[in-house]
Amino acid sequence: MAKEKTVYICSECGHKESKWAGRCVACGSWNTFTEESIKTKLKFSSSERNSEPVALSRVTAEEKGRIDCGSEEMNHVLGGGLTADSSVLLGGRPGIGKSTLLLQTAAAAKVSSILYVSGEESASQIKSRADRLGINPQRITLFIETDLEKISSAVRSVKPELLIVDSIQTVVCKEAGIIPGTVNQLKFSACELVSVCKEIGAALFLTAHVTKEGVIAGPKLLEHLVDTVLYFEDGADVLRILRAEKNRFGAVDELGLFTMEENGLKEVENPSCLFTVSREGALPAGVACAMIMEGSRMLPIEIQALVTPAQSSLSRVFSDKIDGKRVSRIAAVLEKHAGMKFSDRDLYVNVAGGMRLNEPAADLALAVALHSSRTGIPVPRSVILAGELSLAGEVRPVRFAEKREKAALKAGYGRFIGPRRPDQPASSKNSPNTVSDIGDCIRKIFRAPDENGSPK
Ligand code: TYD
Ligand code: MG
């Protein structure tokens, strides 16, 4: 008989304790511990596999085939299609469009058979969605089930080329307790589904809801069990952004861009004007454009800053799309190296189109936007920037600067401002578009240092 052991697991980060605690020491969340029992003799398909140690020199590398998902954007994010027998976790807030994306993928993927398991919706709800999307259900077998054992045996008997499970939080493994969605349930169910798919050579998509904080509900632990983790995120309005957070078979910085329309998700054909705002005349103060590289795509992205007198004795940062700590760091660099006081101000930062910006190359445009809002002096509309800022105020080089410059000029920006590239002569530091530090950048953009240096 299986032995039972009780553990307490944090539902936010998966941290385990042998005793209940009010606050998780690993992630700081309150009241997130749930009691779970682990039977130590769970049987998993993976444990039945035979393997033995082998010399690396005797191993032949096999190139796995890729499945065309029938969507350029999806293929792009996956690194050139879905790798055969790989597992993909698709996370996103409830209602963002995960089920829609996967039903469309099921219909368009170049595979002979698909098993679509849903624990979230009824067969007729899925059929209505399929009708709304106008898709051909020919190769799709539907299975409305939440019991892991039944799902596994259906997968073994149907032997689909692609399995979709929507969502992993609804799957229940009897041996891991009776409540769906607990950390144990998620781990055991995901582990079993991944290994059944490897066994029959099927590719797997699992969906998972994320919590308000953006963490895949329950454990980060699931991310280690799958080959690829994709997040579906909100852009402005109907824009949806698909990102790879982890990818064993490709790069993680590629973006997939969709819009949610009346009849499903449409791929965005021309993304270059999605993240800027079209205006007549001069830019308002507080706006600056960055030339961002997301995967293989170059995108001009507008950063908007608003600097106001602090509401309380503490300066606060309100920024959803750029990490707040990064905004504070850039403000501190401006304070130290451009003589601009921010410590008595509240800082609001936004990114046009709702893009989440992680690229260090956005530092310079963020600094210039903050400076512009603080002084009330707008940035000339021909300017676009790319550069990373060091704590010492220097502008550090960015990857693919030449490519960015070309893309910027093509998009109609007359002045691409960034650090000197290694292939440019030392004398180019005097060029109005080559900047060595934040002070130099501000002088060159706003031209009259004496007027602009002192904040209003
Ligand atoms: P859904 O795929 O059910 O989201 P998730 O699986 O992530 O919870 O999508 C739900 C939302 O998408 C819902 O608000 C309706 C909207 N939607 C459209 O706007 N157009 C469509 O064609 C479909 C199918 C859904
Ligand atoms: Mg859904």
Side-chain angles (χ1 to χ4, degrees):
M1 226 178 68
K3 257 201 279 170
E4 281 206 17
K5 196 174 129 194
T6 301
V7 287
Y8 295 86
I9 304 183
C10 169
S11 58
E12 283 298 318
C13 69
H15 177 72
K16 287 184 195 149
E17 289 283 351
S18 56
K19 287 189 187 136
W20 190 84
R23 184 166 187 263
C24 174
V25 288
C27 70
S29 306
W30 287 93
N31 289 328
T32 49
F33 277 98
T34 50
E35 180 180 342
E36 307 214 356
S37 62
I38 296 177
K39 287 187 182 171
T40 48
K41 274 199 184 165
L42 276 170
K43 260 216 277 167
F44 279 102
S45 329
S46 53
S47 60
E48 288 158 15
R49 279 195 226 152
N50 291 322
S51 67
E52 52 188 52
V54 60
L56 182 56
S57 57
R58 291 182 50 207
V59 178
T60 41
E62 76 181 283
E63 186 59 38
K64 292 195 173 173
R66 297 268 185 166
I67 297 168
D68 176 358
C69 295
S71 148
E72 287 254 337
E73 298 294 304
M74 180 62 113
N75 286 341
H76 192 62
V77 176
L78 290 169
L82 175 63
T83 303
D85 88 12
S86 71
S87 48
V88 182
L89 178 71
L90 173 65
R93 66 158 175 86
I96 188 142
K98 299 181 293 299
S99 307
T100 307
L101 181 65
L102 291 190
L103 195 55
Q104 284 185 244
T105 304
K110 306 282 183 292
V111 288
S112 53
S113 61
I114 297 118
L115 179 61
Y116 189 109
V117 179
S118 178
E120 300 256 332
E121 289 157 313
S122 68
S124 91
Q125 276 173 313
I126 296 170
K127 179 69 170 85
S128 330
R129 179 182 288 121
D131 290 345
R132 181 174 178 183
L133 299 172
I135 61 177
N136 176 1
Q138 282 304 317
R139 299 156 303 141
I140 305 174
T141 308
L142 205 54
F143 189 32
I144 306 299
E145 186 52 71
T146 55
D147 186 298
L148 180 66
E149 219 170 283
K150 289 188 189 155
I151 298 171
S152 300
S153 59
V155 176
R156 287 196 178 94
S157 74
V158 175
K159 291 204 173 32
E161 225 178 302
L162 173 62
L163 171 68
I164 294 172
V165 178
D166 185 17
S167 69
I168 187 65
Q169 277 116 340
T170 58
V171 178
V172 189
C173 163
K174 281 195 210 108
E175 285 138 313
I178 48 163
I179 305 162
T182 60
V183 176
N184 267 357
Q185 289 285 4
L186 286 169
K187 264 172 69 180
F188 292 145
S189 306
C191 203
E192 173 70 358
L193 291 169
V194 167
S195 90
V196 173
C197 284
K198 295 261 185 258
E199 185 187 309
I200 64 158
L204 169 68
F205 271 113
L206 297 170
T207 69
H209 306 301
V210 299
T211 59
K212 262 190 286 164
E213 290 74 32
V215 185
I216 283 193
K220 272 274 178 194
L221 293 169
L222 270 193
E223 296 191 351
H224 305 292
L225 300 176
V226 293
D227 298 312
T228 303
V229 178
L230 306 182
Y231 281 88
F232 212 19
E233 297 172 357
D234 286 289
D237 197 16
V238 291
L239 182 66
R240 303 282 183 271
I241 303 169
L242 186 66
R243 281 177 194 273
E245 181 93 6
K246 158 185 171 176
N247 193 355
R248 267 190 199 137
F249 305 108
V252 286
D253 49 4
E254 295 292 355
L255 283 186
L257 300 170
F258 300 86
T259 51
M260 180 61 95
E261 310 280 342
E262 245 330 279
N263 48 357
L265 290 156
K266 296 273 169 311
E267 306 193 358
V268 173
E269 277 171 15
N270 179 16
S272 68
C273 46
L274 270 183
F275 305 103
T276 53
V277 178
S278 82
R279 299 187 184 86
E280 296 291 317
L283 295 182
V287 163
C289 274
M291 196 69 208
I292 293 296
M293 192 167 174
E294 288 283 355
S296 49
R297 271 195 180 119
M298 295 288 178
L299 296 169
I301 297 185
E302 179 179 303
I303 299 176
Q304 302 160 354
L306 175 65
V307 179
T308 57
Q311 298 285 317
S312 67
S313 54
L314 281 176
S315 153
R316 288 173 304 170
V317 173
F318 302 87
S319 176
D320 274 351
K321 301 296 175 186
I322 300 182
D323 179 35
K325 289 196 197 96
R326 185 167 162 207
V327 175
S328 303
R329 175 172 57 80
I330 300 293
V333 170
L334 281 167
E335 186 146 346
K336 177 82 179 168
H337 302 287
M340 177 142 286
K341 200 163 175 207
F342 285 98
S343 47
D344 57 352
R345 304 279 143 163
D346 285 341
L347 313 180
Y348 298 82
V349 172
N350 200 9
V351 178
M355 170 74 89
R356 191 160 53 82
L357 270 190
N358 298 326
E359 223 212 340
D363 280 359
L364 201 54
L366 173 59
V368 168
L370 287 168
H371 185 283
S372 164
S373 176
R374 182 74 175 86
T375 57
I377 302 168
V379 178
R381 58 181 303 151
S382 59
V383 166
I384 189 161
L385 303 108
E388 187 178 344
L389 270 185
S390 76
L391 290 181
E394 305 144 303
V395 182
R396 314 286 315 147
V398 294
R399 300 174 303 143
F400 300 104
E402 203 173 344
K403 246 175 139 178
R404 286 181 210 249
E405 179 168 11
K406 277 195 190 129
L409 297 178
K410 202 168 154 211
Y413 293 88
R415 287 183 69 191
F416 174 81
I417 298 185
R420 183 171 72 86
R421 296 198 305 266
D423 62 312
Q424 291 175 317
S427 61
S428 70
K429 73 175 194 303
N430 301 322
S431 144
N433 297 341
T434 304
V435 293
S436 55
D437 58 52
I438 185 62
D440 188 25
C441 178
I442 282 163
R443 268 190 306 279
K444 285 178 172 167
I445 290 179
F446 299 104
R447 298 264 156 112
D450 296 340
E451 277 169 39
N452 301 334
S454 50
K456 279 188 181 172

